[in-house]
Amino acid sequence: MANIGRNSPCPCGSGKKFKRCCGSLSVRQDRPRGEDTATRFAASARGEQIDTLERLSRSGDAGAAARLGLRFLTAGDAPSNPARGVALIEQAALAGDPQGAYLAATIASSSFWRARNWDEAFDYLMRAAQRGYEPSQSSLRILAGGPSGNIIDGEDWAAMRGEIDLAEWITPPEIRIIREAPRIQVIEKFAPPAACDWLIEQAKGRISRATIYDKGTGGTTEDGRRTNSQCDLDIETIGVLTFVLRGRIGAITRRQDLAMEIPKILHYAPGETFAEHFDYLDPSESSYAAELAVRGQRTDTFLIYLNDDFSGGETYFRRIGLSHTGAKGDALLFANVDAAGVPDDDTMHAGLPPTSGEKWVFSQWIRELPRG
């Protein structure tokens, strides 16, 4: 959170002095607080016209600046302008906007839009928590409690921020190898139960029918072989906590965050399944050629079991006769390639249907090369 002189050029790229632009942002005092605020923020950020957000931002509305910044980052219906998006969000955060602070925390904890700075990420998260933003409060409690899952009560958000021990989170937990070839490993109690619950909450209301690769179009399509649902964790939902968990994954796999694809939350209702498939990218498919050249093979799959109050729902490797179901917070890591880096057909697996209860899984694919 760099200090900017009031007469300096505004970092949002407007061409104005900071004091005449983002430096004049203010927060509406009648803003609703809590988890419902996050839902309203996401809906308004997608629904408002860009010119309306520009006008409100210029008038000093910090919430509008945060929503405008989000649009420039996601580029769904606005020109992609990551630098301006980051600047708008960070200045909204400094002006006291809770959603802006939450987004700024996410940005600072990633390596996508700017250089990673964990201290700034935790500071922004604390700011959002102090403003009553529930997703920040719940994730801050979890981070302060550490990977062992200590319960943190109270509302001293500054104290919780001070309790975060990043080194403890990043320290690799004990790993148990259950098969050498293909290499499959189990990490028990990888994530604390509260973190699992938090991840599920980010996906609720956002999941949709999962798809498979369509060889004919090169895109994706719904198919009877995959009937479960899923949700991508994007900038609105991924949060600092997920990036800390990815740091924990990186400590185990020795792969940097930029080598990881967008994480997904998978949901299986009773009877829903993902039939036998491979996670590697088939090099014989011409549509994968460009992607393989840029980012390499999808070498590893990392799953976190987010709940265990269901029956059935095993991860099943038929060719090697292995079936696995983890307890809540346990993780399963398996290589999709052999020791020479060649796609391994023995990694064919299926997500079997739960016979009762719902199954939730965090899925993280890891690539051979980092994002450029």
Side-chain angles (χ1 to χ4, degrees):
M1 293 181 284
N3 292 321
I4 302 170
R6 289 181 54 76
N7 290 311
S8 299
C10 188
C12 80
S14 66
K16 299 179 180 181
K17 291 183 178 181
F18 178 62
K19 66 181 180 182
R20 300 291 185 188
C21 191
C22 291
S24 65
L25 296 177
S26 62
V27 181
R28 290 178 53 184
Q29 297 304 310
D30 60 346
R31 182 185 301 278
R33 308 179 101 188
E35 186 172 8
D36 186 57
T37 315
T39 303
R40 295 185 188 188
F41 175 78
S44 61
R46 290 188 292 270
E48 292 172 290
Q49 296 293 323
I50 295 296
D51 57 354
T52 300
L53 290 173
E54 290 275 15
R55 175 175 53 79
L56 291 172
S57 298
R58 287 195 296 270
S59 71
D61 186 330
R67 298 194 297 276
L68 179 60
L70 179 63
R71 296 282 275 277
F72 283 129
L73 285 183
T74 57
D77 57 354
S80 177
N81 192 339
R84 188 174 182 214
V86 169
L88 282 164
I89 288 169
E90 290 184 343
Q91 294 311 315
L94 291 174
D97 183 75
Q99 293 92 346
Y102 183 76
L103 290 173
T106 298
I107 290 168
S109 66
S110 76
S111 302
F112 298 151
W113 302 283
R114 47 155 289 183
R116 169 177 280 166
N117 187 314
W118 286 113
D119 284 335
E120 287 191 11
F122 298 146
D123 287 344
Y124 279 129
L125 196 65
M126 177 189 68
R127 283 172 175 258
Q130 290 171 332
R131 297 289 300 183
Y133 198 55
E134 197 284 330
S136 290
Q137 294 177 340
S138 55
S139 55
L140 190 59
R141 291 182 191 277
I142 295 164
L143 289 168
S148 60
N150 294 327
I151 305 300
I152 305 297
D153 295 319
E155 295 188 355
D156 190 340
W157 309 114
M160 291 182 206
R161 188 264 177 264
E163 287 295 320
I164 299 174
D165 186 343
L166 183 62
E168 183 184 12
W169 275 102
I170 301 302
T171 300
E174 183 178 349
I175 302 170
R176 179 164 55 91
I177 299 173
I178 61 174
R179 181 157 181 118
E180 285 289 355
R183 192 169 182 83
I184 303 177
Q185 304 170 77
V186 169
I187 306 95
E188 296 177 352
K189 299 180 179 179
F190 172 84
C196 297
D197 296 338
W198 189 90
L199 288 166
I200 291 174
E201 285 302 315
Q202 305 319 299
K204 283 185 175 178
R206 294 173 176 265
I207 58 174
S208 59
R209 175 72 180 270
T211 57
I212 66 170
Y213 173 68
D214 187 336
K215 294 181 179 180
T217 65
T220 60
T221 185
E222 293 182 3
D223 189 278
R225 289 168 291 181
R226 187 175 193 186
T227 57
N228 70 300
S229 54
Q230 69 177 30
C231 166
D232 287 353
L233 292 180
D234 57 18
I235 184 174
E236 293 180 54
T237 54
I238 190 168
V240 176
L241 177 58
T242 306
F243 279 109
V244 171
L245 290 173
R246 282 170 42 129
R248 195 163 167 82
I249 293 171
I252 294 171
T253 61
R254 298 182 182 178
R255 308 295 290 280
Q256 59 179 288
D257 188 89
L258 286 176
M260 300 182 191
E261 297 188 26
I262 295 173
K264 302 177 184 293
I265 303 296
L266 309 182
H267 173 256
Y268 294 80
E272 292 181 347
T273 186
F274 189 1
E276 292 182 332
H277 63 282
F278 304 103
D279 284 352
Y280 64 71
L281 304 181
D282 188 349
S284 68
E285 294 290 342
S286 59
S287 57
Y288 284 141
E291 189 173 356
L292 285 168
V294 173
R295 298 201 61 192
Q297 188 53 259
R298 184 182 287 157
T299 56
D300 299 277
T301 297
F302 196 99
L303 304 178
I304 307 173
Y305 296 93
L306 302 180
N307 71 317
D308 53 16
D309 53 344
F310 61 90
S311 300
E314 299 88 352
T315 305
Y316 180 49
F317 298 82
R318 178 175 59 83
R319 292 189 176 183
I320 59 175
L322 177 64
S323 180
H324 182 78
T325 303
K328 182 175 182 176
D330 289 354
L332 182 71
L333 168 63
F334 57 90
N336 298 309
V337 297
D338 62 21
V342 177
D344 189 343
D345 288 348
D346 282 344
T347 63
M348 184 176 70
H349 59 285
L352 299 184
T355 55
S356 64
E358 301 178 45
K359 174 185 175 181
W360 294 87
V361 179
F362 173 95
S363 176
Q364 180 64 71
W365 286 324
I366 304 174
R367 300 296 285 270
E368 184 180 0
L369 302 173
R371 184 192 302 267

